[in-house]
Amino acid sequence: MVKTGETVKKLSRKGYRLTPQRLMILEAVDGADDHISAEEIYAQVCDQYPNLNISTVYRTLELLKELELVTETDLGDGRVRYHNIKKGHHHHLVCHRCGNIIDMDEAVLSPLKAALLMQYGFNAELRHLAIFGLCKECK
Amino acid sequence: MVKTGETVKKLSRKGYRLTPQRLMILEAVDGADDHISAEEIYAQVCDQYPNLNISTVYRTLELLKELELVTETDLGDGRVRYHNIKKGHHHHLVCHRCGNIIDMDEAVLSPLKAALLMQYGFNAELRHLAIFGLCKECK
DNA sequence: TATGCAGATGCAAGGGGTTGCAATTGCCAA
DNA sequence: TTGGCAATTGCAACCCCTTGCATCTGCATA
Ligand SMILES: [Zn+2]
Ligand SMILES: [Zn+2]
Ligand SMILES: [Zn+2]
Ligand SMILES: [Zn+2]
């Protein structure tokens, strides 16, 4: 799914380079079936390039967020998770009793976004959110 | 604002004690004008009781949350902040360009809460939230 | 009052993530 | 080709917070 040409363009437009490390990290995010953590990316890339440092992973993820190539979310388990932005915008409802995670369409938050803009002139970034509470079974 | 008698009752109902450390920590949260961080609580209480350990502060804050005596929120500056739950339910809109923080009434999120309950049977805990984005000036 | 026992604390180590710095890399212009 | 220079990296130290463990505290019961 990584289109190297486009990625290079997006990076170089801001004076950044597509280094081997960055490419491998992006591929790891891309190849993951689910949300992947920095530590998991690190372990995976280390298999082919053991020199990689974990701080490079974090810095790269920061960069990829900035370029809107990946999104992050914190599902409440003490680490942030990432996925390619092309996997579609969505949010999660996290039950903190049973741990169940319900996927939720982006549209559910549209009225809130509109209300915040209307009432406060605030342009909320409601991207890949996790909302905590109790699910149907645990209520 | 700390009512020792009531607090003791709330604690002992679950088999917990109101230790001097816990009382001092609660008083620090209570006496703060604004949202206060664990480190600030620690520094403040240490003035009168230098033996206090930072992990006791964190454990106590966890307990006070559980008993619904304090709420926490993460305003995006890399540390969690707390205040007494009696200061009223509210949320914050945080501009991540200029850093401006707009206070927001609880009611703004009521429609969302209702929608989540209706559509997903999910009972969301939307308590003392921070929503990030761009304020009117920075848009 | 003496004994038992769960709750609470201090301490040190650990986990996830960030940052300052010096060394390295790779583009670009001469 | 060769410097020059900014971007990038690895490394180590640090920050915020959590956790395992041994010690200590204080209520309850006999
Ligand atoms: Zn997701
Ligand atoms: Zn549940
Ligand atoms: Zn607040
Ligand atoms: Zn702003």
Side-chain angles (χ1 to χ4, degrees):
Chain A
M1 202 203 263
V2 183
K3 290 179 196 148
T4 308
E6 278 206 28
T7 307
V8 170
K9 233 183 285 172
K10 245 188 179 174
L11 283 159
S12 66
R13 209 175 300 148
K14 296 199 175 187
Y16 304 137
R17 302 175 196 150
L18 183 59
T19 64
Q21 288 96 326
R22 285 179 180 169
L23 185 58
M24 288 186 288
I25 290 166
L26 191 49
E27 276 170 348
V29 174
D30 231 55
D33 288 335
D34 205 348
H35 306 78
I36 190 171
S37 73
E39 204 70 36
E40 286 162 356
I41 295 167
Y42 176 63
Q44 203 171 306
V45 176
C46 267
D47 280 351
Q48 33 167 162
Y49 180 68
N51 247 350
L52 183 70
N53 191 276
I54 187 76
S55 62
T56 299
V57 176
Y58 284 111
R59 282 191 281 230
T60 298
L61 288 169
E62 190 59 37
L63 182 68
L64 297 177
K65 267 193 296 173
E66 193 188 317
L67 297 175
E68 307 199 329
L69 290 169
V70 308
T71 36
E72 68 171 28
T73 195
D74 177 357
L75 264 15
D77 64 342
R79 85 208 55 205
V80 175
R81 293 177 173 284
Y82 302 82
H83 70 60
N84 192 302
I85 212 162
K86 288 180 187 164
K87 287 207 176 164
H89 293 177
H90 61 263
H91 310 280
H92 301 282
L93 301 173
V94 182
C95 177
H96 56 204
R97 181 161 301 161
C98 71
N100 188 21
I101 296 177
I102 303 165
D103 290 357
M104 191 178 79
D105 193 77
E106 200 187 17
V108 185
L109 295 183
S110 300
L112 174 62
K113 196 168 154 59
L116 293 178
L117 196 57
M118 186 84 106
Q119 291 179 41
Y120 297 93
F122 189 85
N123 199 335
E125 255 185 27
L126 301 171
R127 193 183 268 164
H128 209 189
L129 242 56
I131 295 176
F132 299 89
L134 294 176
C135 76
K136 214 186 294 188
E137 284 74 32
C138 298
K139 194 186 322 175
Chain B
M1 203 205 261
V2 183
K3 288 179 196 150
T4 309
E6 278 204 30
T7 306
V8 170
K9 231 183 287 172
K10 246 189 177 174
L11 283 160
S12 66
R13 209 176 300 148
K14 298 201 174 186
Y16 303 136
R17 304 175 195 149
L18 183 58
T19 64
Q21 288 96 326
R22 286 178 180 171
L23 185 57
M24 287 185 290
I25 289 166
L26 192 48
E27 277 170 347
V29 175
D30 231 54
D33 289 333
D34 206 347
H35 306 77
I36 189 171
S37 74
E39 204 70 36
E40 286 163 356
I41 295 166
Y42 176 64
Q44 202 171 306
V45 177
C46 267
D47 281 350
Q48 33 166 162
Y49 180 69
N51 247 352
L52 182 71
N53 192 278
I54 187 77
S55 62
T56 300
V57 176
Y58 283 110
R59 281 192 282 232
T60 298
L61 288 169
E62 191 58 37
L63 182 67
L64 297 176
K65 266 193 295 175
E66 193 189 317
L67 297 175
E68 306 200 329
L69 290 169
V70 308
T71 37
E72 68 171 26
T73 196
D74 177 355
L75 265 12
D77 63 342
R79 83 210 55 208
V80 176
R81 294 178 173 281
Y82 302 83
H83 70 61
N84 191 301
I85 213 164
K86 288 180 184 162
K87 287 207 176 166
H89 293 177
H90 61 263
H91 309 281
H92 301 283
L93 301 173
V94 182
C95 178
H96 57 202
R97 179 159 303 161
C98 71
N100 189 22
I101 296 177
I102 302 165
D103 291 356
M104 191 179 79
D105 193 78
E106 200 185 17
V108 185
L109 295 183
S110 301
L112 174 63
K113 197 170 153 56
L116 294 178
L117 195 59
M118 186 83 108
Q119 292 180 41
Y120 297 92
F122 189 85
N123 199 336
E125 257 186 23
L126 300 171
R127 196 183 266 163
H128 208 191
L129 240 57
I131 295 176
F132 299 90
L134 293 177
C135 76
K136 214 185 298 189
E137 283 74 31
C138 298
K139 195 186 319 173

